[in-house]
Amino acid sequence: RQRKTQQQATHKQQVKTKLQTYPIMMKVLLCGGGNAIHVLSSYISSRDDTHVTVLSLFPGEADKLRDAIPEEGIRCINDLGDDVFGKPDAVIGKAEDVPKDLDIVVFALPSFTH
């Protein structure tokens, strides 16, 4: 038991050292094209440590969304803190264009679709 605890402590220290040495870039895929995606893409992409891709399979929706995003990004109004601006790194309309090494996939779909 003591050896296992010691191994866990060593592992935690190694992870901590790695995190300090290499900045982690969280790669997020947001699936959908509605209100939730607009909020999530703004809020999540406002962080420096994220790479956000939005996938909308509805015909023409990805192009419309990409063209509608202002240069400064989408403003996310936060009633509990400061507003943030974020802009997804990519807005795509085909599943084959999805990055392969994602950390998180979010499906933001209306309740009637499932």
Side-chain angles (χ1 to χ4, degrees):
R1 182 169 171 95
Q2 182 181 4
R3 182 176 175 175
K4 186 175 182 180
T5 305
Q6 188 177 19
Q7 287 173 337
Q8 289 172 336
T10 302
H11 177 71
K12 284 181 182 179
Q13 183 58 42
Q14 289 171 342
V15 169
K16 186 176 179 183
T17 302
K18 261 188 175 176
L19 289 175
Q20 291 170 345
T21 307
Y22 303 103
I24 302 256
M25 179 65 69
M26 180 78 61
K27 295 184 180 179
V28 180
L29 175 65
L30 303 175
C31 301
N35 296 336
I37 290 299
H38 290 101
V39 173
L40 288 170
S41 67
S42 172
Y43 189 75
I44 295 171
S45 64
S46 70
R47 298 178 48 96
D48 292 333
D49 61 349
T50 60
H51 180 280
V52 176
T53 301
V54 174
L55 170 65
S56 180
L57 297 176
F58 192 79
E61 191 69 27
D63 294 331
K64 287 180 190 176
L65 179 57
R66 190 182 316 105
D67 294 343
I69 298 173
E71 187 60 38
E72 68 274 8
I74 302 168
R75 180 180 178 191
C76 183
I77 298 172
N78 184 355
D79 293 337
L80 302 175
D82 295 332
D83 293 354
V84 295
F85 286 85
K87 185 175 183 179
D89 297 285
V91 179
I92 58 176
K94 294 188 232 172
E96 56 265 18
D97 295 335
V98 170
K100 304 292 185 238
D101 53 348
L102 297 166
D103 296 301
I104 297 175
V105 177
V106 176
F107 293 92
L109 306 170
S111 60
F112 66 83
T113 63
H114 53 79

